[in-house]
Amino acid sequence: MKANRFTLIASVAALLFAAQSCLMEQKDIFSESSSTRMQKYLAEVETTLKSNTDGWIMEYYPGTGQKFGGYVFHVKFEDGGNVTVGSELHPADTAKSFYKMTTDNGPVLSFDTNNDLFHVFATPSSSLYEAKGGDFEFAILNCSKEKIEMKGKRSGNIYTLLPFVKEKDIKRETYLSKVYKMANSVKAATVEGVIGDTEVIGDVDLNNRRITLYYEPGAQGDSVTAIPFRYTPEGIRAYKPVKVGGCTFQDLFYLEKNNLLTNGVFTLQCKVPENYVPYEEFEGKYNFIYYQGSKSAKVTLTPNEDKTGFVMSGLSTHFDVNLQYDKARGRLKWYVQSVGSHGNNSIMLAAWSLDAQGGSLTWSTDAGVVISKNLKTGLFEFEDNGEYEEGFGADSFILWEITPDGTSVDQYTGWGDSQYPYLTSMQKLE
């Protein structure tokens, strides 16, 4: 036993010595250090970025899982680490800041100084304390003069830079204006049609730029396909190629006259509800009626800064209410929201269910009501949004105080009226 063990150890030692001898004889594969090679690669990427003097179109998808859809930026990289940014949200404007090439387990492009246009999805607000998960640091995946692919370090989404080719009648601001116009032209709450050999129907969320197609399971296996998209001057472009019914597509043209999405091979008919109300028609003064008609208030709806909804003033002298415009269905959404503070605690305008739940409430920001037009009466009526809990049935709002860790304190009465029970309707005033 001892002899055998000695022989094995001696044999292993001999093998290790031989391996060591071989390793010592090998020459380095690379003549330069990894840090030197990385710096050279970063310099090559930066040269590519600056080489396109007309700039790049950036496909930008904030939020994990592309939850907010895609947006278009125009970025132009210049000497001295300068970058000029244009955005589809403000086509006529540009904002200058700095960028840098750096490393973090690989090559990274960083927009490391504040840019009012570019950082809009990464800047927190009172309603979104974590913002929309926007990226400003990007790991470089692939780089060529035709396309640069990057991965957002925060969201994990793929971001693409495509060369912007300026034509005599298409300048940066013209291109972004066309994208902006398209984003405000598409009208769709649902779509339906036939793709390849598959009949499909779909729900459209224009606020979060996403189409969800439903169809019978086939060779694909799945019966649901979620399509986050961004707008183009001609229509929409999916985050990645989509395969349905044997067809693969990414770009769809929008034909406004017939309200269609098509790629020339198949067509999807877009539809909106009968009581669809365009954004601009909501602006104005209203008689706000609640408590089953026994109470009322004169309120005013004013467009918010980014034209995604309205600020409702007049319900209270202590706070305003933010209302979101549902672009797909032409209605308003009133979610639970923070309207002030009491010491370190938050004062929430909480959703209150008097009828369906006998007085239960929630400060979950998923809960709330939708405000839709009744075509028979012309009044705007309230209904639970169905997004919080089945059967909850929000029909009222109440001011409620909660601690920083989300613990309930009590009804907040420091501003006088704290209850807005039995929301009834809003009547627009001439």
Side-chain angles (χ1 to χ4, degrees):
M1 291 286 292
K2 288 182 180 179
N4 290 340
R5 185 181 178 193
F6 177 81
T7 304
L8 178 61
I9 292 174
S11 299
V12 170
L15 287 170
L16 288 173
F17 180 78
Q20 186 178 13
S21 299
C22 292
L23 288 171
M24 291 176 65
E25 291 175 3
Q26 285 183 335
K27 294 183 179 180
D28 289 338
I29 297 174
F30 300 105
S31 59
E32 299 174 323
S33 68
S34 59
S35 61
T36 300
R37 294 197 305 274
M38 178 60 72
Q39 291 305 314
K40 283 190 173 182
Y41 181 71
L42 289 175
E44 290 174 7
V45 172
E46 186 168 20
T47 297
T48 302
L49 290 172
K50 293 192 295 184
S51 67
N52 194 336
T53 55
D54 290 328
W56 302 78
I57 292 298
M58 185 177 196
E59 298 179 330
Y60 188 102
Y61 283 84
T64 304
Q66 310 91 48
K67 65 186 294 186
F68 298 107
Y71 291 79
V72 174
F73 287 99
H74 177 274
V75 288
K76 184 178 179 181
F77 299 90
E78 298 155 341
D79 291 336
N82 293 288
V83 61
T84 301
V85 177
S87 166
E88 65 161 274
L89 298 175
H90 302 280
D93 300 333
T94 58
K96 292 181 179 291
S97 56
F98 295 99
Y99 75 93
K100 68 179 179 182
M101 305 301 303
T102 185
T103 59
D104 184 5
N105 294 322
V108 172
L109 169 63
S110 173
F111 293 78
D112 61 338
T113 58
N114 181 62
N115 186 295
D116 289 341
L117 293 181
F118 191 77
H119 289 128
V120 63
F121 296 106
T123 303
S125 64
S126 58
S127 58
L128 287 169
Y129 69 95
E130 291 186 335
K132 288 190 173 182
D135 288 287
F136 51 87
E137 291 186 314
F138 307 90
I140 307 294
L141 302 179
N142 298 293
C143 177
S144 71
K145 291 183 178 181
E146 290 73 36
K147 181 168 71 172
I148 297 175
E149 288 185 321
M150 310 180 296
K151 185 175 184 178
K153 295 190 65 179
R154 186 178 182 186
S155 71
N157 295 334
I158 301 301
Y159 291 75
T160 305
L161 289 173
L162 300 170
F164 176 66
V165 181
K166 184 170 67 175
E167 301 174 6
K168 60 181 179 180
D169 58 340
I170 301 292
K171 300 178 181 179
R172 172 199 57 80
E173 57 271 26
T174 306
Y175 179 89
L176 293 175
S177 292
K178 288 187 175 184
V179 174
Y180 177 85
K181 182 179 178 182
M182 182 58 65
N184 288 280
S185 297
V186 174
K187 290 181 172 58
T190 60
V191 294
E192 59 182 48
V194 178
I195 301 178
D197 56 7
T198 302
E199 187 173 340
V200 302
I201 59 173
D203 289 328
V204 182
D205 181 352
L206 294 181
N207 291 75
N208 296 308
R209 303 186 174 195
R210 179 179 297 263
I211 299 173
T212 305
L213 293 179
Y214 303 89
Y215 46 91
E216 290 299 319
Q220 270 184 265
D222 294 330
S223 58
V224 179
T225 297
I227 308 172
F229 66 85
R230 60 107 163 169
Y231 289 101
T232 69
E234 296 80 24
I236 65 172
R237 179 177 176 83
Y239 172 68
K240 61 182 179 180
V242 180
K243 186 175 182 180
V244 174
C247 291
T248 300
F249 63 94
Q250 190 166 12
D251 291 283
L252 294 175
F253 297 97
Y254 179 64
L255 307 180
E256 186 174 4
K257 183 178 180 181
N258 304 108
N259 206 18
L260 299 174
L261 286 168
T262 182
N263 65 351
V265 176
F266 65 83
T267 297
L268 297 176
Q269 179 68 60
C270 303
K271 296 185 175 183
V272 296
E274 236 183 304
N275 63 344
Y276 180 96
V277 177
Y279 176 82
E280 58 275 6
E281 289 187 20
F282 275 106
E283 183 177 1
K285 299 181 182 299
Y286 293 79
N287 190 27
F288 184 100
I289 305 167
Y290 63 107
Y291 212 163
Q292 297 174 330
S294 64
K295 287 191 174 185
S296 66
K298 295 295 188 291
V299 300
T300 301
L301 269 58
T302 305
N304 61 14
E305 188 176 351
D306 56 5
K307 304 294 178 65
T308 58
F310 295 86
V311 176
M312 181 170 69
S313 58
L315 190 61
S316 169
T317 58
H318 295 278
F319 63 85
D320 294 332
V321 179
N322 291 309
L323 304 176
Q324 183 187 102
Y325 179 63
D326 183 349
K327 293 178 66 175
R329 290 158 182 80
R331 60 186 185 179
L332 299 177
K333 290 187 173 185
W334 178 353
Y335 287 104
V336 169
Q337 56 198 268
S338 173
V339 292
S341 60
H342 183 214
N344 292 325
N345 296 338
S346 294
I347 302 169
M348 303 295 293
L349 187 57
W352 193 12
S353 177
L354 285 170
D355 280 342
Q357 294 287 331
S360 64
L361 61 93
T362 179
W363 48 92
S364 166
T365 53
D366 291 331
V369 298
V370 293
I371 306 172
S372 304
K373 189 172 186 177
N374 184 320
L375 294 179
K376 291 183 179 179
T377 65
L379 299 174
F380 292 88
E381 298 179 340
F382 302 92
E383 183 182 5
D384 178 77
N385 65 15
E387 297 178 33
Y388 169 59
E389 186 178 274
E390 187 175 353
F392 177 72
D395 52 31
S396 311
F397 280 92
I398 185 170
L399 294 178
W400 206 262
E401 184 175 349
I402 64 169
T403 63
D405 65 1
T407 303
S408 170
V409 176
D410 203 345
Q411 181 178 179
Y412 182 74
T413 58
W415 294 337
D417 285 345
S418 59
Q419 300 181 3
Y420 303 91
Y422 296 116
L423 304 177
T424 306
S425 63
M426 291 170 57
Q427 180 183 22
K428 192 166 189 182
L429 304 174
E430 296 299 329

